[in-house]
Amino acid sequence: MASVTSLTAHVHQRLSDALTAALPESAATDPLLRRSDRADFQANGILALAKKAKANPRDLATQVVDRVVKGDLIQDIEVSGPGFLNITITDRAIIQTLAARATDPADRLGVPFTEHPGTTVVDYAQPNVAKEMHVGHLRSAVIGDAVTQILEFVGETVVRRHHIGDWGTQFGMLIQYLDEHPHELDREAPEGTVETGEEAMSNLGRLYKAARTHFDSDDEFKTRARRRVVDLQAGDPHTLATWQRFVDESKIYFFSVFEKLDMEIQDADIVGESAYNDMLDETCRLLEESGVAVRSEGALCVFFDDVKGPDGNPVPLIVKKSDGGYGYAATDLSAIRNRVFDLKANTVLYVVDARQSLHFKMVFETARRAGWLNEETKAQQLAFGTVLGKDGKPFKTREGETVRLVDLLDEAIDRATAVVREKAEKVGLTEEEIVENGRFVGVGAVKYADLSTSAVRDYKFDLDQMVSLNGDTSVYLQYAYARIQSILRKAGDAHPLAHPELALAPAERALGLHLDQFGELLLDVAAGYEPHKLASYLYQLASHLTTFYDQCQVLSDANPKEVVENRLFLVDLTARTLHQGMALLGIRTPDRL
């Protein structure tokens, strides 16, 4: 089905036509239409237009009002203040537009596709091989997952890339230590069981600590470990086989954490640093031959006029070190080449900690100078802030250690399960449903707390608030959805059915107008990579629903059949919108809570 034109777009067109009729030279002038608490919409564009035309704004506004077609869409339009236009929509237009959204067979709710779809590579969820994921990995994974789903929903082709840390000097240390202690990873799982992700990472963690201790205390081992790095980079079969074992063991763990996060990660999308190893030499050669990179004290560097150290001297981007080793920049620049020329990306989006902003600024500028990025092909960092504790400081354990991501998720699920269990008897949930819903509510609470905050801002991790039934939380939204499902189950023979002929109560109008904004909101969210705007929209939708419940009883023998059906129609469309919006944020909406 074709997308449904929003009421905002319809009103915008009516005003534009009236403006052109009143003042022909104003063709294509934006009437600056927005939602208003004084009417359904307010248009402010006439003030600037009147100033430009040297006309009286109220007189011009009156001329526009006289030329606006009313009746089917616009019920009333009046001049306010110095020349504002207050517009009220007909009840019939609201319900007819919502009915068109509700009958979308693809269940897209009439949401339009972006006008100019392209291909976007999204680089997110970047754990490190042989290291546990911690709270710092949460935001990249959650924000990146939401952005990819939203982009795909509006028609963009998305290529997921998980740029895991699977290359570097630490692997020489690990491989050499395991060669000298071949039974270090030997752990027999009890008969009939399979090693879990956490057990696999626990084994690697023990190996890493033992190897690091040996590396720091034994110079001869340190020398052997560094030679092993050379073997790895040269492709020595035995060394590569051991390295691959580390990667495979780590992936077992990665997949277990992402499964707990209720995120689907495909193995084909995991393309780590090692994947670009064969490109590094050519990347450096291209940069040096083009003059983008120059030799400085034996290293291959790129300099920038606006990047200087505390001493005032230029701080370069080091592509190749003086000892012949490659820096992160060489890998990141090679990845850009791959994503632009092989994957045909129009946009490469990096969901990466804001503390790496300077690095990516220099990498992107280098790629632009090399001609790999341009006006048609761009790279952008979606920078995110830090997860803080209740004290406003970086989130740590009581011992000062970084919080493990699995521990954080387990605690959230435990807290949420307790909340679900309190109401379980009233709803009639089985123990299996309590456990499942506890997981959906707990993980949803963590995700929503992250996504409801603008990515660039820090936010406080407060589980008590996250699992609260009140306020701006995912639990509030999930209970709103479940409450609608309860009403629909109790409706009996009554079914959701739109009745455009009915007059609407104020709460019905407010709910309907907000529902109509879903499509335009998603396009705006996708264009700016701002999932927090979707979270805000959904919270406002649930708030409108609460007001509607308080003021407009849905199932009542006192209501005519048509009123019951129309209100069931409104709550049913609200539930579908909540479900779709939450799904785009990666959050489940259980039918019963």
Side-chain angles (χ1 to χ4, degrees):
M1 178 179 175
S3 62
V4 176
T5 303
S6 70
L7 292 168
T8 305
H10 279 305
V11 174
H12 188 283
Q13 187 60 54
R14 291 283 176 93
L15 290 181
S16 295
D17 292 344
L19 274 169
T20 302
L23 198 66
E25 59 269 33
S26 71
T29 296
D30 187 349
L32 299 180
L33 188 69
R34 62 180 179 83
R35 289 297 311 278
S36 171
D37 55 3
R38 297 177 180 274
D40 293 335
F41 296 97
Q42 186 174 84
N44 302 334
I46 287 178
L47 296 178
L49 182 60
K51 184 176 181 180
K52 183 177 180 180
K54 297 182 179 179
N56 181 288
R58 280 192 65 88
D59 289 345
L60 180 58
T62 301
Q63 294 176 46
V64 171
V65 167
D66 291 341
R67 288 166 172 80
V68 170
V69 177
K70 291 178 285 188
D72 59 335
L73 172 67
I74 297 177
Q75 176 179 312
D76 188 36
I77 179 170
E78 62 179 12
V79 180
S80 174
F84 302 133
L85 296 180
N86 289 337
I87 303 116
T88 302
I89 305 300
T90 66
D91 292 342
R92 175 177 292 274
I94 293 173
I95 296 300
Q96 285 179 332
T97 300
L98 295 183
R101 295 193 180 283
T103 54
D104 186 340
D107 205 28
R108 290 184 52 81
L109 306 177
V111 175
F113 289 104
T114 184
E115 288 186 13
H116 305 289
T119 297
T120 297
V121 173
V122 184
D123 186 329
Y124 69 106
Q126 309 108 344
N128 295 306
V129 166
K131 292 184 180 179
E132 288 187 298
M133 294 177 67
H134 53 76
V135 68
H137 291 107
L138 175 67
R139 302 209 72 185
S140 175
V142 170
I143 295 169
D145 186 56
V147 168
T148 57
Q149 294 196 68
I150 292 166
L151 288 174
E152 286 182 328
F153 192 76
V154 300
E156 185 78 356
T157 298
V158 177
V159 180
R160 293 162 169 80
R161 279 294 176 263
H162 309 300
H163 191 84
I164 64 172
D166 65 350
W167 207 246
T169 56
Q170 72 269 28
F171 290 99
M173 176 187 76
L174 289 169
I175 294 167
Q176 187 63 35
Y177 187 84
L178 188 59
D179 258 15
E180 297 177 10
H181 303 79
H183 301 294
E184 186 68 25
L185 288 181
D186 292 350
R187 296 289 186 277
E188 287 190 14
E191 187 175 350
T193 65
V194 178
E195 184 180 47
T196 67
E198 289 185 48
E199 287 169 344
M201 184 51 65
S202 177
N203 292 338
L204 286 175
R206 281 194 298 270
L207 175 71
Y208 187 90
K209 290 177 181 177
R212 170 56 68 180
T213 299
H214 200 35
F215 185 87
D216 292 339
S217 62
D218 188 329
D219 288 339
E220 291 185 1
F221 173 75
K222 185 179 296 185
T223 300
R224 295 195 299 274
R226 286 172 173 166
R227 281 202 300 264
R228 186 52 65 96
V229 176
V230 177
D231 293 339
L232 178 63
Q233 293 173 339
D236 172 66
H238 170 71
T239 302
L240 279 176
T242 307
W243 167 81
Q244 188 64 54
R245 182 180 178 185
F246 292 144
V247 174
D248 293 342
E249 290 275 322
S250 296
K251 282 184 178 180
I252 295 172
Y253 166 74
F254 296 157
F255 286 130
S256 71
V257 177
F258 289 129
E259 183 179 9
K260 185 165 287 190
L261 255 178
D262 203 14
M263 283 175 51
E264 186 175 346
I265 301 291
Q266 300 294 333
D267 189 60
D269 299 332
I270 299 177
V271 183
E273 297 170 2
S274 62
Y276 308 103
N277 189 52
D278 293 342
M279 297 177 64
L280 301 181
D281 185 64
E282 184 181 20
T283 295
C284 293
R285 179 180 61 79
L286 292 171
L287 291 173
E288 188 169 14
E289 288 179 353
S290 63
V292 173
V294 297
R295 295 285 173 177
S296 176
E297 298 181 14
L300 186 63
C301 304
V302 182
F303 289 90
F304 310 87
D305 292 337
D306 59 341
V307 181
K308 293 182 171 62
D311 57 1
N313 293 323
V315 176
L317 180 71
I318 300 175
V319 184
K320 192 172 186 179
K321 303 172 186 177
S322 57
D323 63 3
Y326 298 99
Y328 287 119
T331 301
D332 288 332
L333 288 163
S334 297
I336 287 177
R337 289 176 54 217
N338 169 260
R339 293 164 180 182
V340 171
F341 298 112
D342 297 333
L343 301 179
K344 309 301 182 185
N346 307 106
T347 303
V348 185
L349 185 66
Y350 292 79
V351 187
V352 182
D353 193 314
R355 288 170 290 189
Q356 298 189 44
S357 294
L358 178 59
H359 169 77
F360 280 103
K361 175 184 175 182
M362 293 193 290
V363 167
F364 297 161
E365 175 58 27
T366 298
R368 277 189 286 269
R369 292 181 187 179
W372 305 334
L373 297 175
N374 49 48
E375 291 299 318
E376 288 73 39
T377 306
K378 65 178 182 178
Q380 179 177 335
Q381 181 190 2
L382 176 50
F384 56 81
T386 304
V387 181
L388 307 176
K390 291 182 181 180
D391 58 2
K393 298 178 181 178
F395 198 25
K396 302 282 186 180
T397 65
R398 291 180 180 177
E399 294 76 26
E401 299 292 329
T402 302
V403 178
R404 297 195 319 156
L405 185 51
V406 289
D407 292 341
L408 180 150
L409 294 175
D410 285 341
E411 185 177 358
I413 292 170
D414 288 345
R415 295 276 195 96
T417 302
V419 172
V420 172
R421 194 178 296 280
E422 286 179 8
K423 294 180 175 289
E425 185 175 346
K426 180 179 178 181
V427 183
L429 296 180
T430 65
E431 180 62 24
E432 183 180 359
E433 288 174 318
I434 292 171
V435 171
E436 181 178 64
N437 288 352
R439 183 164 61 88
F440 292 157
V441 171
V443 172
V446 171
K447 288 184 175 182
Y448 186 85
D450 193 312
L451 294 169
S452 60
T453 303
S454 174
V456 74
R457 292 177 53 194
D458 300 339
Y459 79 95
K460 292 183 180 180
F461 193 91
D462 184 347
L463 272 179
D464 292 330
Q465 174 58 31
M466 289 179 185
V467 299
S468 172
L469 299 178
N470 302 309
D472 189 5
T473 66
S474 68
V475 191
Y476 176 64
L477 304 184
Q478 288 167 321
Y479 267 99
Y481 176 83
R483 187 175 186 183
I484 294 175
Q485 297 309 311
S486 176
I487 289 174
L488 294 175
R489 287 193 295 270
K490 295 175 182 176
D493 294 334
H495 299 286
L497 184 63
H499 285 277
E501 74 279 5
L502 294 178
L504 298 178
E508 292 175 300
R509 289 178 56 84
L511 179 61
L513 287 168
H514 194 73
L515 283 167
D516 185 58
Q517 295 177 345
F518 185 57
E520 290 176 331
L521 179 280
L522 279 181
L523 290 179
D524 183 51
V525 168
Y529 313 123
E530 298 173 302
H532 71 278
K533 289 184 176 180
L534 174 56
S536 176
Y537 169 88
L538 295 173
Y539 174 64
Q540 292 169 22
L541 178 59
S543 298
H544 280 301
L545 184 68
T546 298
T547 303
F548 170 85
Y549 281 141
D550 292 342
Q551 299 180 9
C552 305
Q553 190 169 0
V554 179
L555 302 177
S556 172
D557 294 336
N559 288 336
K561 177 173 180 276
E562 294 78 10
V563 172
V564 172
E565 291 175 338
N566 201 57
R567 289 179 177 174
L568 283 172
F569 163 75
L570 283 172
V571 296
D572 179 60
L573 185 58
T574 299
R576 291 168 61 188
T577 304
L578 280 170
H579 174 78
Q580 184 61 74
M582 294 286 271
L584 292 174
L585 296 179
I587 300 173
R588 307 274 187 144
T589 45
D591 285 350
R592 299 198 305 161
L593 274 177

